[in-house]
Amino acid sequence: MTYTFPKDFLWGGATAANQFEGAYNVDGKGLSVQDVTPRGGVPAKAGDHNPLITDEPTPDNLKLEGIDFYNRYKEDIALFAEMGFKVFRMSIAWSRIFPNGDETEPNEAGLAFYDKVFDELAKYGIEPLVTLSHYETPLYLARHYNGWANRDLIRFYENYVRTVFTRYKDKVKYWLTFNEVNSVLHAPFMSGGIATPYEDLSKQDLYQAVHHELVASALATKIGHEINPDFKIGCMVLAMPAYGMTSNPLDQLAAREFENQNYLFSDIHVRGKYPNYIKRYFRDNGIEIQFADGDEEMLKNTVDFISFSYYMSVAQAHNPEDYAVGKGNIMGGISNPYLESSEWGWQIDPVGLRLVLNDFYDRYQLPLFIVENGLGAKDVLVDGPDGPTVEDDYRIDYLQKHLVQVGEALQDGVELMGYTTWGPIDLVSASTAELSKRYGFIYVDRNDDGTGTLARYKKKSFNWYKEVIATDGASLYK
Ligand code: BG6
């Protein structure tokens, strides 16, 4: 059965500054936590290998040069426009605007760069969707304040978001406060700039850091709406549905408890207060969140929409030690025998996306936005009739199956603003810092050893996605 997506559906792609801009030390930019990431990535729970052993940019770090979007943004945006993008998700590198993070005055050259990018997008009628903080806390804030573990980060973030909201108030309408805000529990350095090694962080420290981010997110939402009441400001969570491994009620309970650790974040962003289940968890674990005066009121500044990334689901059991552990997933979980996995062990589950959409919508009755989805895979460049290309049928297959499930959810009645695939142009992986884990419709000639010309080539999926957009999704059913 064919289904046509709504005419105003926002089709596009998603990126993050630290994974594709490059130019890490140009025009006054300061270092971010990503600039000290060694090639091969930082173990999510950076403990025995805390990257803050050095203050220097690691020389073999592919993120330093990225794919040079900083200098090639015109060429890249033209390619996005050729695919018919209606929206482009990108982040602002905080350390381009405030190099250390705690200055009072912004860096004009950094602000000017994003003006140029937004103007270029506007030329093609592409809406920017801007993440304010995407795994790129200024390194100075990690070093000198211990990142979001410190309440001072709220006022530095406030100054930063006030600056960019004011500067771009007529150029950007859609904003996300923190990328995958729930990941700070699992990757505190990458996600929250928290320098303390994971094994030395107590649950108390982690949830207090979470509280700081949640208050900052609510504050950003408040400020944004004051600066421009037309702004649409959303939270962004890493969505990962969990199945009970068996119909044993204890397995179902394990799945529910796992999901609650993620719902916590969207619940607070949407309902404006801590849910009861987490109060119990805090009691059971001796956690006491320190609320400052005004925090409770501040959390009531709730979001306009809920956005999320979706790559995979997990299974949970009350006795996980009896099963094989899922690979490549920062949130843990066990392998689901009904699902296949990507080369990096991420379990592929299109139906899980329909479930997530329905669960979120039933729970909140607010518009949703899928702002990341895609397949990281090794591509092989071959000669095609129009030059080098990649026959990436595996990627088309992954996206097609997920989008069909998105169509099902729309027919279920879910309100969905749009869909942006992760990495529409190849970029550096967040978790492994490789380039060979590619997601793009556009191939970038850069290799894991840093060699390559940075030339761009269209993959087979480029024309496939172009047709999906041009037909409002109808071509998915061919
Ligand atoms: C999400 C992040 O977790 O997954 C992105 O928001 C990241 O930054 C994406 O790139 C894919 O993960 P990876 O590790 O394959 O780059």
Side-chain angles (χ1 to χ4, degrees):
M1 195 192 63
T2 304
Y3 172 73
T4 309
F5 284 54
K7 276 274 166 233
D8 58 356
F9 192 75
L10 292 168
W11 297 96
T15 57
N18 73 86
Q19 292 172 255
F20 89 140
E21 280 181 0
Y24 77 98
N25 60 353
V26 169
D27 293 337
K29 182 181 172 297
L31 294 177
S32 90
V33 292
Q34 295 289 350
D35 297 323
V36 296
T37 308
R39 184 172 303 167
V42 182
K45 298 179 177 27
D48 55 347
H49 184 188
N50 192 318
L52 283 182
I53 44 174
T54 165
D55 257 353
E56 297 303 316
T58 34
D60 66 350
N61 179 348
L62 291 169
K63 289 175 180 165
L64 301 178
E65 195 186 345
I67 58 154
D68 195 31
F69 177 80
Y70 196 78
N71 293 305
R72 294 166 197 248
Y73 66 94
K74 286 192 180 172
E75 179 191 348
D76 294 342
I77 291 171
L79 287 166
F80 301 149
E82 191 182 332
M83 275 188 280
F85 278 23
K86 316 278 186 230
V87 67
F88 178 58
R89 177 175 174 227
M90 51 183 275
S91 68
I92 295 178
W94 185 348
S95 60
R96 269 195 207 292
I97 312 301
F98 290 96
N100 285 342
D102 63 354
E103 301 90 341
T104 47
E105 293 307 313
N107 169 34
E108 173 55 33
L111 289 166
F113 169 65
Y114 294 105
D115 267 320
K116 289 190 294 186
V117 173
F118 298 142
D119 291 346
E120 196 66 19
L121 290 167
K123 263 179 34 191
Y124 299 99
I126 301 175
E127 286 279 357
L129 165 62
V130 175
T131 318
L132 290 157
S133 178
H134 191 134
Y135 295 169
E136 48 216 356
T137 309
L139 181 62
Y140 187 88
L141 296 184
R143 252 276 184 250
H144 295 265
Y145 295 89
N146 210 15
W148 283 96
N150 187 328
R151 195 178 167 95
D152 286 346
L153 269 269
I154 299 178
R155 62 190 168 86
F156 302 142
Y157 180 80
E158 175 182 1
N159 191 29
Y160 160 62
V161 302
R162 199 181 283 285
T163 302
V164 297
F165 281 158
T166 306
R167 174 79 169 220
Y168 308 123
K169 68 178 183 323
D170 299 320
K171 297 187 180 183
V172 179
K173 177 174 171 191
Y174 300 103
W175 299 90
L176 307 177
T177 52
F178 288 96
N179 181 63
E180 295 185 333
V181 58
N182 45 337
S183 62
V184 68
L185 288 178
H186 310 274
F189 175 66
M190 179 174 78
S191 177
I194 299 173
T196 307
Y198 188 80
E199 67 266 18
D200 298 339
L201 278 169
S202 63
K203 284 187 175 162
Q204 170 72 38
D205 297 334
L206 271 176
Y207 281 95
Q208 189 63 44
V210 164
H211 179 72
H212 298 151
E213 288 200 36
L214 291 166
V215 170
S217 183
L219 176 58
T221 307
K222 177 174 182 286
I223 297 172
H225 286 147
E226 283 164 7
I227 291 175
N228 184 346
D230 292 334
F231 277 176
K232 297 285 175 216
I233 304 173
C235 57
M236 192 312 198
V237 291
L238 191 169
M240 194 171 290
Y243 304 108
M245 191 61 173
T246 70
S247 51
N248 181 339
L250 291 177
D251 285 354
Q252 301 301 319
L253 188 63
R256 176 73 60 87
E257 283 172 348
F258 172 87
E259 289 196 325
N260 280 350
Q261 290 292 326
N262 291 331
Y263 275 136
L264 159 69
F265 294 82
S266 45
D267 280 354
I268 295 176
H269 272 99
V270 176
R271 297 173 174 161
K273 58 178 187 184
Y274 278 76
N276 289 343
Y277 58 79
I278 204 70
K279 291 184 187 157
R280 159 137 202 208
Y281 177 83
F282 289 167
R283 274 198 308 277
D284 290 353
N285 288 278
I287 298 168
E288 262 182 65
I289 303 297
Q290 303 300 311
F291 273 64
D293 282 351
D295 281 3
E296 209 170 314
E297 272 306 298
M298 186 57 72
L299 290 177
K300 293 183 185 149
N301 291 286
T302 55
V303 289
D304 300 311
F305 66 97
I306 299 128
S307 78
F308 62 90
S309 61
Y310 177 78
Y311 294 92
M312 65 187 138
S313 58
V314 283
Q316 296 290 341
H318 71 288
N319 51 343
E321 58 288 351
D322 292 351
Y323 297 99
V325 178
K327 257 190 14 192
N329 162 12
I330 61 167
M331 289 197 172
I334 55 185
S335 276
N336 183 336
Y338 294 96
L339 300 176
E340 290 181 355
S341 299
S342 79
E343 288 176 73
W344 277 266
W346 294 19
Q347 291 210 292
I348 301 171
D349 180 12
V351 173
L353 178 53
R354 179 179 180 185
L355 292 170
V356 167
L357 285 162
N358 274 284
D359 286 349
F360 273 135
Y361 194 65
D362 285 349
R363 200 171 175 109
Y364 304 124
Q365 311 275 297
L366 268 191
L368 308 178
F369 207 141
I370 302 167
V371 296
E372 284 186 36
N373 176 234
L375 178 71
K378 289 211 159 88
D379 289 336
V380 179
L381 205 58
V382 294
D383 286 333
D386 306 317
T389 187
V390 177
E391 299 285 335
D392 55 344
D393 294 284
Y394 38 90
R395 182 168 293 109
I396 294 174
D397 183 62
Y398 177 102
L399 294 171
Q400 191 266 349
K401 289 195 169 113
H402 282 77
L403 278 167
V404 165
Q405 293 303 321
V406 173
E408 292 297 324
L410 283 163
Q411 294 172 79
D412 293 335
V414 166
E415 222 182 315
L416 182 63
M417 296 161 72
Y419 172 88
T420 58
T421 63
W422 178 250
I425 183 164
D426 293 343
L427 36 66
V428 185
S429 152
S431 59
T432 68
E434 295 164 292
L435 244 154
S436 55
K437 190 179 186 191
R438 297 173 183 271
Y439 287 84
F441 304 116
I442 301 160
Y443 184 93
V444 177
D445 180 20
R446 190 161 193 233
N447 307 307
D448 283 346
D449 62 5
T451 59
T453 62
L454 290 167
R456 277 62 167 148
Y457 302 115
K458 295 174 195 171
K459 304 181 194 175
K460 184 175 178 183
S461 55
F462 183 98
N463 285 326
W464 173 84
Y465 196 45
K466 182 178 177 181
E467 192 186 1
V468 170
I469 298 175
T471 61
D472 299 315
S475 66
L476 292 166
Y477 303 88
K478 281 202 304 202

